[in-house]
């Protein structure tokens, strides 16, 4: 997926099966390998940078969506659902009509990797894929302490705009950021003047919601920001092109 993926498991983290403390080296190696397989499998199917992927074959018109794999059709259905819920701010098609599920699939991959870690019995972890973060448990196992995720300043990549606490009872467990600071203007916007926001970070209970809504707000501007905060239990930090910040209470705190 052209991004760096990191997994953090704190010392003293527990293995749920059996309730024993500590993750052995071979258990951690197995968990890392399982996470790698999740991302590799989805990359093989959905990457438009791989000429041999199913997504690339669809883009070239070599076969139709009707003939695509169940996984491809399911993710397309998810994306269409998000297009309806965001009133078109999020779309599974590029302006040229090519199917492009990259706005959804990274979040989906992170979610699948998180389920894999849970199935391995690991109860405390932080998974970071290109700055999009999903956590479980605590960085200090058994303490109830939250993970701290930083939001980089798009005007100064060496500085942080904010930190957000993830995890803990009833808290947000996922944080995703979209914008043009790292990859340029790659998100399609409705207006002719380009994106209103250079960067949008969304914290939510799940990573797919956070990732999709961050992209949708960049694409849809202030109108979509209002729809998102009215319609979903999220926190948002949005950066306008002039550097002005818009933040919900969770980020302001």
């Amino acid at each position: 997926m052209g991004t760096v993926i990191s997994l953090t498991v704190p010392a003293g983290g527990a293995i749920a099966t059996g309730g024993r403390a500590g993750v052995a080296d071979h258990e951690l190696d197995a968990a890392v390998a399982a996470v790698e397989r999740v991302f590799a499998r989805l990359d093989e199917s959905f990457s438009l940078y791989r000429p041999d992927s199913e997504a690339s074959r669809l883009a070239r018109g070599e076969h139709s969506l009707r003939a695509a794999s169940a996984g491809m059709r399911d993710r397309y259905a998810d994306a269409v659902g998000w297009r309806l819920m965001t009133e078109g701010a999020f779309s599974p098609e590029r302006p040229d009509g090519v199917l492009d599920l990259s706005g959804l699939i990274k979040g989906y991959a992170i979610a699948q990797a998180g389920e894999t870690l849970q199935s391995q019995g690991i109860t405390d972890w932080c998974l970071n894929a290109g700055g999009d973060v999903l956590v479980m448990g605590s960085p200090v196992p058994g303490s109830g302490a939250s993970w701290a995720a930083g939001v980089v300043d798009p005007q100064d990549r060496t500085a942080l705009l904010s930190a957000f606490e993830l995890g803990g009872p009833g808290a947000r467990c996922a944080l995703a950021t979209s914008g043009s600071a790292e990859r340029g203007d790659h998100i399609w916007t409705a207006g002719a003047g380009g994106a209103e926001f250079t960067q949008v970070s969304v914290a939510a209970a799940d990573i797919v919601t956070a990732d999709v809504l961050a992209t949708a707000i960049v694409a849809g501007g202030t109108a979509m920001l209002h729809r998102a905060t009215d319609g979903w239990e999220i926190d948002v930090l949005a950066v306008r092109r002039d550097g002005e910040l818009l933040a919900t209470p969770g980020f302001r705190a």
Side-chain angles (χ1 to χ4, degrees):
M1 295 182 180
T3 191
V4 175
I5 301 162
S6 65
L7 171 64
T8 301
V9 177
I15 291 289
T17 53
R20 59 183 175 80
V23 180
D25 287 347
H26 72 276
E27 292 168 326
L28 184 56
D29 289 343
V32 169
V35 167
E36 289 177 342
R37 287 193 295 271
V38 168
F39 281 92
R41 182 179 69 251
L42 291 170
D43 190 61
E44 289 173 359
S45 295
F46 292 93
S47 174
L48 287 171
Y49 296 99
R50 297 173 63 110
D52 59 337
S53 72
E54 184 177 12
S56 291
R57 295 196 300 274
L58 280 167
R60 292 192 297 267
E62 294 175 4
H63 72 153
S64 67
L65 188 60
R66 184 185 298 274
S69 66
M72 181 67 69
R73 295 196 307 272
D74 287 347
R75 300 294 75 75
Y76 176 72
D78 291 343
V80 169
W82 280 108
R83 176 165 57 192
L84 293 172
M85 288 188 287
T86 62
E87 299 182 28
F90 180 88
S91 175
E93 287 99 14
R94 298 188 323 209
D96 60 6
V98 170
L99 178 64
D100 184 352
L101 298 177
S102 58
L104 172 82
I105 202 63
K106 186 171 78 165
Y108 177 77
I110 297 170
Q112 290 293 296
E115 291 181 8
T116 296
L117 290 170
Q118 292 182 63
S119 71
Q120 298 274 330
I122 300 177
T123 59
D124 302 279
W125 47 264
C126 173
L127 186 61
N128 184 326
D132 294 343
V133 180
L134 178 65
V135 307
M136 182 178 180
S138 170
V140 185
S143 70
S146 299
W147 297 88
V151 177
V152 174
D153 186 341
Q155 298 180 342
D156 179 3
R157 308 303 292 170
T158 66
L160 293 180
L161 277 180
S162 178
F164 195 91
E165 292 189 352
L166 296 174
R172 320 284 193 218
C173 294
L175 177 68
T177 298
S178 291
S180 59
E182 290 194 9
R183 296 176 54 196
D185 290 319
H186 65 286
I187 298 173
W188 316 307
T189 58
E196 179 181 350
F197 300 117
T198 59
Q199 181 171 287
V200 174
S201 298
V202 174
D206 69 278
I207 190 63
V208 172
T209 296
D211 195 22
V212 168
L213 291 180
T215 299
I217 293 169
V218 172
T222 299
M224 183 61 221
L225 172 63
H226 292 322
R227 283 198 297 272
T229 53
D230 288 343
W232 285 269
E233 291 292 328
I234 59 173
D235 277 293
V236 180
L237 177 63
V239 186
R240 293 192 188 276
R241 289 194 173 274
D242 62 2
E244 180 187 5
L245 302 180
L246 301 179
T248 56
F251 273 103
R252 289 200 297 270

